[in-house]
Amino acid sequence: MATNTKEYNGYLFDQLELVERVLKVAHETNDVEKIIEAAEYEKRLIERKLYQDPGLVGE
């Protein structure tokens, strides 16, 4: 799947935001369960985007 630089940068910024949110929880609490909960929440958000209709395939 070919992407242009703008699309790729958008993807990278989304991933950077995800990591920043999980790290924020990690720094605010040393509770491993809270960190896992935050990561699972982010995973659900990614899956929602991934499986949205219309999908990103074929653009």
Side-chain angles (χ1 to χ4, degrees):
M1 178 171 67
T3 58
N4 64 32
T5 302
K6 185 176 179 180
E7 289 175 52
Y8 189 65
N9 283 344
Y11 169 77
L12 292 176
F13 278 118
D14 286 345
Q15 297 308 302
L16 181 59
E17 281 184 343
L18 180 149
V19 171
E20 288 172 343
R21 288 190 297 264
V22 172
L23 285 173
K24 181 178 184 288
V25 172
H27 289 297
E28 290 174 353
T29 178
N30 288 327
D31 186 354
V32 173
E33 292 300 319
K34 290 286 185 184
I35 297 167
I36 291 171
E37 184 179 309
E40 288 175 347
Y41 175 75
E42 296 299 336
K43 180 183 174 198
R44 286 192 303 272
L45 292 178
I46 292 168
E47 288 173 342
R48 184 183 314 155
K49 290 177 185 177
L50 182 63
Y51 299 118
Q52 70 183 349
D53 190 28
L56 299 176
V57 177
E59 289 184 356

